[in-house]
């Protein structure tokens, strides 16, 4: 049996970032069920950093995380690059655009309000004017994140600090024995630590049940993305991440093609999510509704699970009903862009260190992430 000070279950971005912050404080073991890290939600994200989603807590954590994304990883690879985000509105979404702009403004100094002609100049294929797009907000502070570079950089930090990341280690049993949590994998390997960090994404409630800990009622929601050919007469490389002001559609360039999503949220069990025909067709229909493009061939599609708490604010904190059991869950659709903040919060809460001043500066308090708020049923943010 391998022993450690901190045992993290889940090798997505939440788990690896937390492990990287904890490893300097003691022996750290990170267990990932799949054969590769970031296989589920972390590897199926649109990988954008922007302020167009989430409550104030999420936006504050996103702002806190920016300096980390602007650095270069240990292997010399940039963790992100500047890439604007464009939030568009047809007439029926103008009120939503006004509200979104007001919510974003405290966190970004790069916002610009655009009319239909300016929008058309940035993304020529958007249907503008009349019943189409009549206004937009451009956020020049948005960034495209490199999820694989982030994963590799965090795992390198774990290794440098003497920790260990283990793939193909699916946990099937969790028990409290004395002062330690014991996790047993399908291979029969056993790992022990006084602190177990539950960072298993859509499976967080399942891990809690294995441990005899009350679940939080997390909701995994499936989301679908399609990939299709760009128009041959358009240079799409500089097109921004483009999203409706109200959740209905987004599109962005990727390696010479276009990605599109109908911003669907289909309730799901924790699973290896796969796209379904209806959602693929819906994504194509949204492309043809908001743009002049015809989706004649879908080259690829995929689905991922975005797991939320009932108030759509992530949770980081010890379970009141189980000593040493730490929840790191509910990152929803903002796990990548808030990972540095969530990891810093996790480090402070587990080690008893000071609450990060930067988080406080952005209005994020430990109570905003607390497990107790979910048990009281009081939304945060």
């Amino acid at each position: 049996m391998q022993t450690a000070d901190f045992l993290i279950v889940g090798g997505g971005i939440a788990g690896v970032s937390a492990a990287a912050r904890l490893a300097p404080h003691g022996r750290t073991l990170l267990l990932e069920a799949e054969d590769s890290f970031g296989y589920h939600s972390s590897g199926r994200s649109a990988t954008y950093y922007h302020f167009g989603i989430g409550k104030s807590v999420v936006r504050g954590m996103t702002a806190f995380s920016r300096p980390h994304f602007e650095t270069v990883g240990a292997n010399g690879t940039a963790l992100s690059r500047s890439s604007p985000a464009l939030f568009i509105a047809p007439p029926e979404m103008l009120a939503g655009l006004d509200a979104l702009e007001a919510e974003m403004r405290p966190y970004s100094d790069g916002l610009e309000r655009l009319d239909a002609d300016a929008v058309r100049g940035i993304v020529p294929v958007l249907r503008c004017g009349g019943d189409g797009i009549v206004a937009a907000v451009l956020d020049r502070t948005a960034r495209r994140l490199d999820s694989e570079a982030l994963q590799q950089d965090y795992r390198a930090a774990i290794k440098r600090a003497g920790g260990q990341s283990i793939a193909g280690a699916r946990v099937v049993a969790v028990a409290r024995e004395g002062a330690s949590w014991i996790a047993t994998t399908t291979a029969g390997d056993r790992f022990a630590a006084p602190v177990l960090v539950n960072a298993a994404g859509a499976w967080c409630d399942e891990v809690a049940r294995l441990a005899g800990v009350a679940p939080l009622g997390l909701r995994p929601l499936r989301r679908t993305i399609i990939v299709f050919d760009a128009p041959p007469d358009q240079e799409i490389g500089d097109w921004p991440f483009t999203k409706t002001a109200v959740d209905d559609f987004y599109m962005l360039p990727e390696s010479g093609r276009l990605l599109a999503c109908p911003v669907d949220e289909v309730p799901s069990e924790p699973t290896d999510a796969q796209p379904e025909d209806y959602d693929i067709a819906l994504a194509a229909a949204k492309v043809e509704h908001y743009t002049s493009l015809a989706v004649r061939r879908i080259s690829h599609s995929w689905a991922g699970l975005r797991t939320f708490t009932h108030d759509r604010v992530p949770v980081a904190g010890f379970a009141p009903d189980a000593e040493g059991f730490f929840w790191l869950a509910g990152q929803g659709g903002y796990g990548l862009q808030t990972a540095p903040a969530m990891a810093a919060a996790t480090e402070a809460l587990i080690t008893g260190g000071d609450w990060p001043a930067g988080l406080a500066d952005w209005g994020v308090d430990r109570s905003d992430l607390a497990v107790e708020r979910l048990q009281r049923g009081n939304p945060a943010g």
Side-chain angles (χ1 to χ4, degrees), residues 280-291:
I280 293 171
L282 180 62
K286 293 289 179 73
V287 171
E288 296 180 352
H289 174 74
Y290 285 103
T291 79

Side-chain angles (χ1 to χ4, degrees), residues 66-368:
R66 183 183 184 89
H68 181 82
F69 297 136
E70 292 178 333
T71 63
V72 173
N75 64 357
T77 301
L79 302 181
S80 71
R81 60 179 172 83
S82 178
S83 182
L86 181 70
F87 300 94
I88 57 176
E92 67 272 17
M93 293 186 190
L94 280 175
L97 183 67
D98 291 341
L100 181 63
E101 182 179 7
E103 290 164 356
M104 293 169 61
R105 194 159 292 282
Y107 305 95
S108 173
D109 59 1
L111 299 186
E112 181 182 356
R113 185 77 173 222
L114 305 177
D115 61 16
D117 288 338
V119 171
R120 188 183 294 110
I122 296 173
V123 184
V125 298
L126 287 173
R127 296 188 186 276
C128 295
D131 293 335
I133 309 306
V134 295
V137 171
L138 183 68
D139 182 5
R140 299 186 186 279
T141 68
R143 303 187 71 82
R144 186 71 188 267
L145 305 180
D146 188 328
S147 60
E148 182 57 30
L150 286 164
Q151 270 274 350
Q152 291 179 3
D153 193 55
Y154 279 129
R155 295 203 306 273
I158 296 166
K159 186 176 181 179
R160 286 196 305 272
Q164 187 177 2
S165 304
I166 305 171
R170 186 177 300 277
V171 173
V172 294
V174 181
R176 183 78 174 178
E177 297 182 9
S180 292
W181 287 101
I182 312 295
T184 305
T185 68
T186 51
D189 297 324
R190 303 178 78 217
F191 303 89
V195 174
L196 184 146
V197 179
N198 181 12
W203 287 264
C204 277
D205 272 350
E206 299 300 317
V207 171
R209 290 187 183 97
L210 289 176
V213 177
L216 297 181
L218 299 169
R219 295 181 298 145
L221 302 174
R222 190 180 72 242
R223 176 159 290 183
T224 302
I225 292 178
I226 63 171
V227 183
F228 61 100
D229 293 336
D233 60 340
Q234 296 281 347
E235 175 52 56
I236 68 168
D238 292 332
W239 286 4
F241 170 82
T242 300
K243 182 180 181 296
T244 50
V246 175
D247 285 349
D248 194 53
F249 167 75
Y250 71 71
M251 181 178 73
L252 65 152
E254 172 65 26
S255 303
R257 290 189 169 90
L258 289 167
L259 309 186
C261 175
V263 197
D264 49 334
E265 292 190 343
V266 182
S268 173
E269 295 297 319
T271 188
D272 184 0
Q274 300 299 318
E276 298 194 0
D277 290 344
Y278 173 82
D279 301 315
I280 293 171
L282 180 62
K286 293 289 179 73
V287 171
E288 296 180 352
H289 174 74
Y290 285 103
T291 79
S292 59
L293 301 173
V295 182
R296 295 187 172 89
R297 185 179 74 90
I298 295 173
S299 59
H300 183 48
S301 63
W302 71 87
L305 297 182
R306 304 157 74 251
T307 301
F308 290 95
T309 62
H310 71 73
D311 63 7
R312 294 196 167 227
V313 174
V315 60
F318 283 106
D321 58 331
E323 182 180 356
F325 188 96
F326 190 92
W327 286 97
L328 181 55
Q331 289 85 355
Y334 13 83
L336 282 173
Q337 68 182 56
T338 61
M342 289 293 287
T346 296
E347 177 187 25
L349 293 168
I350 289 179
T351 65
D354 293 336
W355 187 247
L359 283 177
D361 292 342
W362 285 109
V364 181
D365 185 76
R366 66 183 67 209
S367 62
D368 294 323

